[in-house]
Amino acid sequence: MAPLFYYRSLPWSPPDPATIDALLLTSAAAVRLGGDGLTQYRTLPVQAVGTATAEAARLAGFANLATGKKDGNAAAVMLAASGQQKILHLCGQDHVAVGHPLLTIRHIAVYVADAVEHLPTAAALALNDHAVALLHSPRAARVFGTLLDHAKRSRATVRLACFSQNVADAAGVGWAGVEIANVPTDDALFAAARMLCDQDPNGTLER
């Protein structure tokens, strides 16, 4: 296991819950690192992207949950369809913009993910001709490519299991192989990685 980011909370000022119709959560980290400011929104409807985010919200005390299986923009469509208008998007400092013509979305960063400066030695050594890297986000894909280039390791020796098509697009070209999770969940991501390993039983996994 070789994480590409170190996560830390950011100070933030929670808006008055009376001015918010629903929460949009696109990352489980926003729930885990949002702090005490989250508590005043527990009675509001929550649109979560992915089962991991929904589970983090449930464990944090949110009960009125809906879960989408695509991305933030798809979640915004679901919010608009439900009649919600004033949306609070709690997110990371580096996040994908979410918008919808029928919604007023306020984005507030509650955490930051700092990229590592180099691949750990063990991870670099594990990136052999059979390695499979698991990538969750477009930023992770870009960071991983940069780290690999700096380590002078060929992309042509590494295969990628990607959380979504957006992640695969951000990774660029030149990889030994790419598989995309059929839905944005960790289980589906591991299934994509297993498909790559089945193609080459000598493969190893790196995250």
Side-chain angles (χ1 to χ4, degrees):
M1 189 74 70
L4 298 177
F5 302 101
Y6 296 106
Y7 290 83
R8 55 186 172 88
S9 299
L10 290 175
W12 63 291
S13 299
D16 184 347
T19 66
I20 305 298
D21 292 331
L23 291 186
L24 171 60
L25 298 173
T26 52
S27 168
V31 183
R32 295 174 184 138
L33 299 174
D36 293 339
L38 294 175
T39 59
Q40 60 191 297
Y41 303 115
R42 284 178 179 162
T43 60
L44 292 177
V46 176
Q47 181 67 51
V49 176
T51 55
T53 303
E55 179 63 9
R58 185 188 68 79
L59 292 174
F62 293 91
N64 189 359
L65 283 165
T67 307
K69 295 183 177 180
K70 292 187 178 179
D71 56 22
N73 286 315
V77 171
M78 295 178 69
L79 285 165
S82 68
Q84 311 294 344
Q85 293 182 324
K86 296 173 290 184
I87 310 302
L88 176 59
H89 180 203
L90 299 179
C91 54
Q93 189 174 72
D94 183 275
H95 62 273
V96 177
V98 176
H100 190 283
L102 298 180
L103 302 179
T104 300
I105 303 178
R106 182 172 182 179
H107 307 275
I108 297 183
V110 299
Y111 74 93
V112 63
D114 297 315
V116 300
E117 295 182 356
H118 55 79
L119 283 175
T121 301
L125 291 174
L127 291 174
N128 54 40
D129 290 346
H130 308 286
V132 177
L134 281 65
L135 300 175
H136 275 85
S137 70
R139 185 184 176 206
R142 293 189 292 269
V143 167
F144 180 69
T146 299
L147 292 173
L148 204 66
D149 294 342
H150 286 171
K152 301 187 184 304
R153 303 303 299 266
S154 172
R155 296 185 179 204
T157 67
V158 178
R159 294 164 296 158
L160 304 180
C162 297
F163 208 54
S164 68
Q165 183 63 54
N166 287 340
V167 176
D169 292 343
V173 298
W175 305 98
V178 177
E179 286 287 344
I180 300 169
N182 56 7
V183 292
T185 67
D186 283 341
D187 285 344
L189 182 63
F190 278 107
R194 283 193 295 271
M195 288 180 64
L196 289 167
C197 288
D198 288 343
Q199 295 166 14
D200 186 345
N202 294 315
T204 59
L205 301 182
E206 286 299 314
R207 290 183 73 184

